[in-house]
Every structure is written in structure tokens, then in C-alpha cells.
Amino acid sequence: QVQLAESGGGLAQNGGSLRLSCAASGHPFSSYVIGWFRQAPGKEREFVAAIRWSGGGTYYVDSVRGRFAISRDNAKNTVYLQMNSLKAEDTAVYYCAAGNRRQSLTYYAREREYDYWGQGTQVTVSS
């Protein structure tokens, strides 16, 4: 059984930084893509970034490109989301997810490409 556990959320000031972690267990992940999504109050969940576990290719939504960086540590089975230059509109619950149905990373902006989800971690940015 695949398990994903997010951590690292909290309160940050406008312009500040946070690093989220997604610890993965229960399955070899070499063929998987790990994605980060977020859901702000009253809004639908939206894609943030994705990384291919093997090879490390990355894909970002335009609103975070240049501010956020997704990376992975194979030895720790952990994917990170480094968030810099945070804005109030980044406030949301952040989720990580895993899937391996498609080859192209661009598909992984869609929730339906993921089979496993974590419980989420709250990020609040104060203005």
C-alpha cells in the first residue's frame, strides 16, 4: 500500500519561504511521477508542480514558476517543494500525489492521473 505524508507547512510572511516534504513509502517509485497540488478556501484544488522520480524532469504551473522548486531525494524517498517569495494567494492546503499512468509530464497537471494522495499540510502566508 502506497502512503504519502506531507510535512513542513505553517505560517510564513509575505515574501518568505517554506519547504514542504512528501515522504513516500510502500512501493518502488522509480516509475512514478510525484505532484503537488493545493486547495485554497472556497476554491478547487489546483496543480502546482510535478517531478518524475527517475530522471528528475519537472513541470510547473505558470503562477509558481521561478518561485517554487520541486526536487527529490531518492535515498530518503522524499520529494520537496521549496517555496520562495511567498504571496498571500499561495495560502492553501498543499497535497502531494503519486501516479504512473502516462509518459509525458504535462498530463500530470490533471488530478485524475494520480492514484495516491497524502492528507495535506496547511500553508498560510500573512500579508
Side-chain angles (χ1 to χ4, degrees):
Q1 180 71 17
V2 172
Q3 291 188 329
L4 302 172
E6 303 95 337
S7 61
L11 179 64
Q13 291 188 338
N14 189 42
S17 299
L18 283 174
R19 188 178 78 160
L20 305 183
S21 299
C22 173
S25 61
H27 199 283
F29 287 96
S30 59
S31 65
Y32 275 77
V33 168
I34 305 296
W36 284 98
F37 286 75
R38 65 186 180 186
Q39 187 167 22
K43 295 186 177 180
E44 294 186 352
R45 190 156 54 184
E46 66 170 353
F47 171 76
V48 176
I51 187 168
R52 187 176 305 284
W53 199 277
S54 177
T58 59
Y59 182 56
Y60 297 91
V61 69
D62 286 346
S63 60
V64 308
R65 188 174 290 114
R67 298 190 298 122
F68 291 11
I70 189 170
S71 62
R72 84 245 187 263
D73 184 329
N74 291 347
K76 295 182 178 180
N77 262 14
T78 299
V79 170
Y80 302 100
L81 185 68
Q82 178 66 44
M83 305 187 296
N84 300 324
S85 301
L86 284 164
K87 305 175 182 180
E89 51 262 43
D90 295 318
T91 294
V93 177
Y94 283 71
Y95 300 88
C96 65
N100 69 345
R101 303 180 189 182
R102 303 278 192 172
Q103 186 65 24
S104 173
L105 271 179
T106 57
Y107 284 105
Y108 290 91
R110 306 184 303 193
E111 290 187 42
R112 64 174 179 263
E113 302 302 333
Y114 295 88
D115 297 308
Y116 306 102
W117 291 83
Q119 293 300 306
T121 185
Q122 175 71 47
V123 170
T124 302
V125 183
S126 63
S127 56

